[in-house]
């Protein structure tokens, strides 16, 4: 099957509130496999269903950078989060230079709670509750924002957001010009 296309700003579908997943079905299993495929192809470290035009509270993640090599080696660590919740975000903040597949090639520092207790179901519908920190906590919060129609640029000052969107518009115009010249 073709790789699922990833929605980009300013697509209004990125702003929808996603609905809970009611049960594990063959359809959801296929969606998860297709989301991993799209995430590894991009490449990215996380992907919310909303980004592939499915407004369900489901996201996939693999914090290992880069897909495994042709021999199948490498250290993939695929994780599935279904109906995730954040229970008690820490007062302590951490800052990470975030990017988003829906805001291509643009990066900015975002401040978020450094430690969170999270609860979710996995692909086998098993419930997990765990204290998370580091990149895992940052990435889960970034992905959970997508389930609520929020993008990382919404956490920036208006000035920084406008500058970033201007750079994105310029990059798109430049790549369009190059494509037409080729
Ligand atoms: O690939 C991604 N990298 C990333 C880097 C820092 C913080 C968050 C992320 S998630 C992003 C993929 C994406 O857009 N997920 O929604
Ligand atoms: Ni994103």
């Amino acid at each position: 099957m073709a790789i699922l296309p990833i929605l980009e700003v300013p697509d209004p579908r990125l702003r929808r509130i996603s609905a809970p997943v009611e049960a594990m079905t063959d359809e959801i299993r296929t969606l998860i496999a297709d989301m991993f495929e799209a995430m590894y192809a991009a490449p990215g470290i996380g992907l919310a269903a909303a980004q592939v035009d499915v407004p369900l509270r489901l996201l996939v993640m693999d914090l290992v950078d880069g897909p495994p090599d042709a021999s199948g080696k490498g250290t993939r660590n695929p994780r599935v989060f279904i109906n995730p919740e954040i229970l008690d975000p820490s007062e302590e903040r951490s800052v990470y230079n975030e990017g988003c597949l829906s805001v291509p090639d643009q990066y900015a520092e975002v401040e978020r709670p450094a430690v969170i207790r999270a609860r979710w179901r996995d692909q086998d519908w098993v419930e997990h509750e765990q204290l998370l920190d580091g990149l895992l906590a940052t990435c889960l919060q970034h992905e959970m924002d997508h389930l609520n129609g929020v993008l990382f640029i919404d956490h920036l000052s208006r000035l920084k957001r406008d500058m970033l969107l201007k750079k994105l518009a310029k990059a798109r115009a430049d790549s369009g010009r190059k494509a037409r010249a080729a």
Side-chain angles (χ1 to χ4, degrees):
M1 208 198 79
I3 289 175
L4 291 175
I6 295 173
L7 304 178
E8 296 183 1
V9 282
D11 196 308
R13 290 172 291 180
L14 288 168
R15 298 306 190 171
R16 292 182 291 190
I17 308 286
S18 293
V21 177
E22 297 292 347
M24 185 48 63
T25 61
D26 286 346
E27 207 179 349
I28 297 290
R29 266 184 280 270
T30 302
L31 172 63
I32 290 169
D34 291 348
M35 284 172 62
F36 274 117
E37 187 185 23
M39 183 188 80
Y40 288 128
I45 60 172
L47 187 69
Q51 291 175 280
V52 292
D53 198 20
V54 179
L56 288 176
R57 305 190 80 79
L58 163 65
L59 59 98
V60 299
M61 207 188 287
D62 192 335
L63 300 184
V64 172
D65 43 359
D69 58 26
S71 70
K73 282 190 278 212
T75 42
R76 274 193 189 183
N77 184 15
R79 302 172 204 251
V80 177
F81 296 81
I82 298 171
N83 301 336
E85 293 171 71
I86 291 177
L87 303 169
D88 31 41
S90 62
E91 292 294 328
E92 188 198 346
R93 307 278 131 167
S94 78
V95 175
Y96 199 89
N97 195 31
E98 296 195 16
C100 182
L101 297 173
S102 298
V103 191
D105 302 319
Q106 307 302 316
Y107 298 86
E109 293 198 329
V110 177
E111 193 181 299
R112 301 181 185 273
V115 186
I116 55 173
R117 180 171 294 282
R119 186 191 288 158
W120 70 94
R121 287 187 188 275
D122 66 19
Q123 62 276 21
D124 299 316
W125 210 249
V126 174
E127 192 167 67
H128 297 264
E129 190 181 311
Q130 217 178 297
L131 206 58
L132 307 178
D133 64 5
L135 181 57
L136 184 51
T138 293
C139 192
L140 186 63
Q141 291 174 81
H142 173 115
E143 302 309 336
M144 286 185 61
D145 272 354
H146 281 298
L147 309 186
N148 296 320
V150 173
L151 301 171
F152 82 95
I153 55 175
D154 301 335
H155 295 285
L156 308 176
S157 68
R158 170 177 290 241
L159 179 68
K160 282 191 182 158
R161 181 169 53 250
D162 288 351
M163 279 170 41
L164 185 149
L165 290 173
K166 229 176 231 169
K167 272 182 24 199
L168 175 59
K170 183 174 187 311
R172 282 170 167 165
D174 287 349
S175 79
R177 234 188 318 282
K178 253 184 233 135
R180 281 190 298 279

